[in-house]
């Protein structure tokens, strides 16, 4: 199929993009890499009256690390972030390797993925796991939205209709933190049935000083495994404790999905993923994250 | 997704055997979901019944088959057409028998597979074309041995045991089929030469992308004694040949190929006669090769075939050396099918924690008679196996409680991609068919027949310690986790013994 008719604006800057959004509000959608939006347009699952193409907005194409925070502009392709992260933030690189295929990541943007808000996508859970936030910009100002406040429902964020998601901020894990990442997908590059990202770091006595778990494909939004994290803090990391934390974090209900029976992983399967990522994170503790 | 579905069958199958594994009887009760309209009659159920026993020697068979009309999209024959379902049921019950008897599944098959000495072998049942169902050629046990040897089955079993001790669950699955291919009753071909010595081959069996332009050209070029690039193949044009049936049911190489082979021979005879007249030699002394005609033992006499043909054309000065007729049309009659066979081996690793199945290795040892073109044969096998892997692991038509199709797009109906299909290994065995002049058999569908069964057997084998029993495909992660839970319950019911 082909998209329903729409008005097309090629924004040359972030300022121009938000001006168009201010004029059209709800009727407009922002087009970056288009790896999710364009198929939705073609299926006519999305029928926006106006498309604001930000591919020409060069001021949104930046990748900056300062004070332990990685700032990713809205035009940064997933592949570029993946390459940047390969030896600086391997958890991010590992998660990105499972986003679609290389050709998709060459075009898709990290921020576009976050703004799309698919609950089965890797990056929103990663943002949650890395205590991230996003910068929402509108005409005349911007605000910071914490990852935990960003996702409301499948494909629904707390971004206002006149705001553009201009930047994502990932808090990089402390030196010595270990990481783990695992997912189950029916095919390579498909949205995961479920997945989990984990971070662990230890104090001088070998006790757990920090633990983070982020799940995707387990509910209507990405989910932080806070219940499991709390069970680990201040304690020595034993296999039994990691298992207990994984069980506590995995959640109960299998989310409904209106399609294939094999569309989601059971809570038991999720628990296995969480436990494996925690074990992997522990094994990597001490080395540079 | 709204055109036609396939593969929707339920089998209630039993097998009887002696303690030593000798198979005695199979009883099957089959329900076939036709969907809303039964536009194909009993083609699918009949194929299922006719192919149920496959390579096994089973003296007694009782089958009851119910076609059920439902409110789903109609069923239609699709690559394998009722055979993958039969093979799934049979190979599953054979593996269960092996488990029951404590026999290795390869050993049980070895004991019951028919060998060359058993053929021709009649199953007391008419084929769909009304003729007796008689396996014409092959050696199914040799195919099994070839497959087991090529994967180094014993080494795989040793590796499996070592890895299992470390919590890694690998499984090896076998499946074998014997497939009636190349249903008749005929296909035709016209072969004719032009004045430059090039050939045109016309047949009603048009290529769908199988490479028939290449394999048919090979058949003609071999007989005519011309380079393959001198042959043009025309498919499905009634201006070029008026009668034909078409390409389906793994039939074109046998039906059209045989017509082309025989017609090319007749044209060659005409070329020999013309060359004999031109070269003033006896026809028996004329040789044709590489597009040249010559008198045997006199290479200097060689003239291009174009010259031979041109010399037969009348000029003002004289009539042609012979009648300028270098054309023949043959309608090959194929009363019944010819039997292709194969043994497939699937090696999987199952993640018992998440239910994810990874296909590590896939091997096909097969006999499709004489190979016209091994690359094309392998291409057919690769394509078929990929589709079969889809059926084993991914593809499923699903409806919700309201009868709404849930898998209506390729976002939800998952077909395998290059990432999910391992390199497919092939072993060619050649048992020429006695039922056509080329000795060939059909290979268009075979690749798709065994993968769901081989994969199901491999997954169950991998998860044997969990008491898993696989009864349906595809095997997605959630279903595998359910099977593990059911297996645990079954083991608990037996007091925990495997």
């Amino acid at each position: 199929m082909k998209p329903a008719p729409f008005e097309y604006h090629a924004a040359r800057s972030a300022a121009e993009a938000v001006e168009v959004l201010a004029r059209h509000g709800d009727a407009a959608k922002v087009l970056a890499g288009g790896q999710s939006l364009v198929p939705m347009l073609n299926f006519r699952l999305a029928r926006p009256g106006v498309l604001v193409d930000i591919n020409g907005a060069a001021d949104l194409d930046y990748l900056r690390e300062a004070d332990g925070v990685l700032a990713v502009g809205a035009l940064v392709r997933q592949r570029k972030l993946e390459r940047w992260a390969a030896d600086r933030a391997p958890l991010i690189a590992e998660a990105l390797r499972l986003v679609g295929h290389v050709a998709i990541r060459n075009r898709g943007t990290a921020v576009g993925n976050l703004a799309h808000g698919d609950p089965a996508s890797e990056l929103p859970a990663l943002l949650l796991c890395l205590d991230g936030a996003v910068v929402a910009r509108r005409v005349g100002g911007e605000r910071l939205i914490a990852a935990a406040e960003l996702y409301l429902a499948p494909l629904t964020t707390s971004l206002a209709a006149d705001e553009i998601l201009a930047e994502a901020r990932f808090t990089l894990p402390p030196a010595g933190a270990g990481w783990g990442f695992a997912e189950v997908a029916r095919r390579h590059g498909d949205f995961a049935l479920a997945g989990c990202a984990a971070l662990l770091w230890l104090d001088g006595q070998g006790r757990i000083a920090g633990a983070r778990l982020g799940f995707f494909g387990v509910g209507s939004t990405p989910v932080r495994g806070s219940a499991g994290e709390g069970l680990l803090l201040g304690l020595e990391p034993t296999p039994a404790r990691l298992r207990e934390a994984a069980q506590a974090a995995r959640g109960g209900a299998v989310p409904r999905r209106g399609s294939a029976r094999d569309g989601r992983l059971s809570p038991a399967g999720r628990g296995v993923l969480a436990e494996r990522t925690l074990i992997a994170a522990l094994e990597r503790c001490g080395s540079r994250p | 997704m709204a055109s036609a579905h396939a593969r929707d069958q339920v089998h209630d199958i039993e097998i009887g055997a002696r303690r030593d594994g000798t198979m005695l009887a199979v009883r099957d009760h089959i329900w076939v979901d036709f969907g809303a309209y039964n536009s194909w009659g009993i083609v699918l159920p009949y194929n299922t019944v006719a192919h149920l026993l496959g390579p096994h020697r089973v003296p007694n068979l009782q089958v009851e088959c119910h076609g059920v009309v439902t409110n789903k999209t109609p069923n239609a024959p699709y690559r394998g057409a009722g055979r993958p379902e039969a093979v799934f049921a049979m190979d599953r019950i054979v593996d269960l028998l092996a488990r029951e008897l404590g026999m290795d599944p390869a050993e049980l098959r070895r004991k019951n597979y028919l060998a060359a000495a058993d053929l021709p072998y009649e199953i007391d049942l008419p084929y769909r074309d009304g003729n007796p169902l008689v396996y014409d050629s092959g050696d199914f046990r040799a195919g099994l041995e070839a497959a087991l040897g090529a994967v180094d089955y014993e080494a795989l079993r040793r590796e499996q045991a070592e890895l299992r001790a470390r919590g890694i669950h690998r499984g090896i699955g076998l499946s074998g089929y014997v497939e009636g291919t190349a249903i008749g009753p005929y296909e035709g071909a016209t072969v004719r030469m032009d004045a430059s010595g090039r050939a045109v081959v016309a047949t009603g069996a048009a290529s769908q992308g199988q490479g028939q332009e290449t394999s048919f050209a090979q058949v003609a070029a071999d007989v005519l004694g011309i380079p393959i690039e001198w042959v043009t193949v025309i498919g499905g044009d009634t201006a070029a040949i008026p009668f034909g049936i078409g390409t389906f049911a793994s039939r074109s190489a046998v039906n059209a190929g045989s017509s082309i082979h025989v017609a090319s021979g007749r044209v060659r005879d005409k070329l020999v006669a013309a060359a004999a007249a031109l070269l003033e030699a006896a026809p028996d002394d004329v040789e044709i090769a590489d597009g040249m005609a010559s008198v045997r033992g006199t290479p200097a006499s060689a003239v291009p075939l174009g010259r031979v043909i041109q010399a037969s054309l009348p000029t003002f000065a004289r009539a042609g050396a012979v009648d300028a007729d270098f054309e023949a049309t043959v309608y090959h009659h194929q009363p019944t099918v010819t039997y292709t066979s194969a043994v497939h081996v699937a090696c999987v690793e199952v993640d018992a924690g998440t239910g994810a199945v990874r296909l590590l290795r896939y091997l096909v040892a097969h006999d499709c008679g004489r190979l016209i073109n091994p690359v094309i044969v392998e291409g057919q096998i690769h394509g078929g196996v990929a589709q079969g892997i889809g059926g084993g692991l991914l593809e499923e038509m699903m409806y919700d409680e309201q009868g709404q199709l849930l898998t209506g797009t390729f976002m939800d109906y998952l077909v395998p991609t290059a990432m999910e299909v391992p390199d497919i290994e092939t072993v060619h065995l050649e048992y020429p068919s006695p039922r056509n002049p080329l000795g060939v058999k059909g290979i268009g569908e075979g690749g798709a027949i065994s993968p769901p069964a081989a994969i199901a057997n491999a997954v169950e084998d991998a998860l044997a310690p969990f008491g898993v029993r696989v009864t349906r495909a595809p095997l997605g992660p959630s279903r595998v986790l359910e099977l593990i839970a059911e297996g645990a319950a079954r083991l608990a019911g037996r007091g925990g013994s495997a």
Side-chain angles (χ1 to χ4, degrees), chain B residues 170-419:
Chain B
R170 291 215 175 152
I172 305 142
L174 303 174
S175 171
Y177 68 81
V178 180
E179 178 198 5
T181 65
I183 198 156
Y186 79 92
E187 192 57 74
T190 293
V191 175
R192 66 171 173 270
M193 309 297 293
D194 67 17
S196 58
R198 268 59 171 174
V200 171
V201 172
T203 174
S207 174
Q208 301 156 335
Q210 298 94 331
Q212 290 174 7
E213 297 86 349
T214 302
S215 44
F216 289 172
Q218 272 182 260
V219 171
D222 276 1
V223 178
L224 293 170
I226 59 175
I228 184 173
E229 58 270 26
W230 287 14
V231 183
T232 301
V233 176
I234 297 172
D237 184 349
T238 49
I241 179 164
F243 313 119
I245 293 187
T247 294
F248 58 93
S250 307
R251 68 186 300 280
S252 290
V254 170
N255 285 278
S258 298
S259 302
I260 293 164
H261 177 78
V262 177
S264 298
R266 291 186 190 163
V267 172
R268 184 192 170 94
D269 289 345
K270 296 181 182 187
L271 288 168
V272 165
L278 179 68
L279 298 172
E280 293 173 344
D284 285 350
D285 291 335
V286 171
E287 281 182 338
I288 299 179
D290 296 326
M292 305 286 283
S294 60
V295 179
R296 197 182 317 278
T298 318
S301 67
V303 292
L305 274 184
R307 268 283 291 127
V308 173
I309 293 165
Q310 288 152 22
S312 70
L313 296 171
T315 67
F316 288 112
R318 55 167 175 79
V322 297
D323 202 8
D325 164 27
F326 300 99
E327 180 171 335
T329 296
V330 168
Y331 288 93
H332 170 76
H333 177 213
Q334 189 70 33
T336 190
V337 292
T338 179
Y339 288 86
T340 293
S341 63
V343 172
H344 289 208
V345 187
C347 301
V348 303
E349 187 169 307
V350 184
D351 185 329
T354 65
V357 177
R358 198 155 59 94
L359 192 52
L360 303 174
R361 196 170 168 192
Y362 204 93
L363 181 129
V364 176
H366 80 107
D367 160 40
C368 66
R370 203 170 141 208
L371 298 171
I372 297 173
N373 185 318
V375 175
I376 285 176
V377 168
E378 281 166 23
Q380 286 284 21
I381 291 171
H382 293 175
V385 168
Q387 277 184 311
I389 289 170
L393 293 175
L394 294 164
E395 297 180 38
E396 188 168 17
M397 289 295 179
M398 293 176 46
Y399 292 84
D400 69 8
E401 309 82 55
Q402 279 79 45
Q404 175 71 35
L405 181 66
L406 298 176
T407 46
T409 74
F410 287 122
M411 302 265 287
D412 298 305
Y413 185 86
L414 306 178
V415 296
T417 71
M419 304 297 288

Side-chain angles (χ1 to χ4, degrees), chain A residues 106-126:
Chain A
N106 277 339
R107 190 69 190 162
T109 64
V111 167
N113 179 299
L114 291 169
H116 184 59
D118 193 305
S121 180
E122 292 84 357
L123 288 183
L126 200 64

Side-chain angles (χ1 to χ4, degrees), chain A residues 186-187 261-262 264 276, chain B residues 351 393 398 415 478-479:
Chain A
R186 296 295 303 272
R187 299 176 302 184
R261 184 177 307 134
D262 238 314
R264 286 290 180 255
R276 286 182 189 167
Chain B
D351 185 329
L393 293 175
M398 293 176 46
V415 296
S478 302
R479 181 154 305 139

Side-chain angles (χ1 to χ4, degrees), chain A residues 152-232:
Chain A
L152 307 176
L155 311 184
T156 308
T157 66
S158 54
L159 217 60
D162 63 347
E163 286 178 320
I164 185 172
L165 210 168
E167 178 184 302
R169 293 181 184 170
F170 296 92
T171 311
L172 295 175
W179 59 275
F181 192 91
E183 71 172 46
V184 178
R186 296 295 303 272
R187 299 176 302 184
H188 181 88
D190 279 355
F191 280 108
L193 305 189
C196 182
L199 280 174
L200 274 185
W201 60 96
L202 308 176
D203 64 16
Q205 281 75 49
R207 289 186 292 258
I208 296 169
R212 305 252 188 78
L213 281 165
F215 290 94
F216 49 103
V218 304
S220 57
T221 64
V223 176
R224 180 84 177 255
S226 314
E229 296 171 7
L231 293 178
L232 293 171

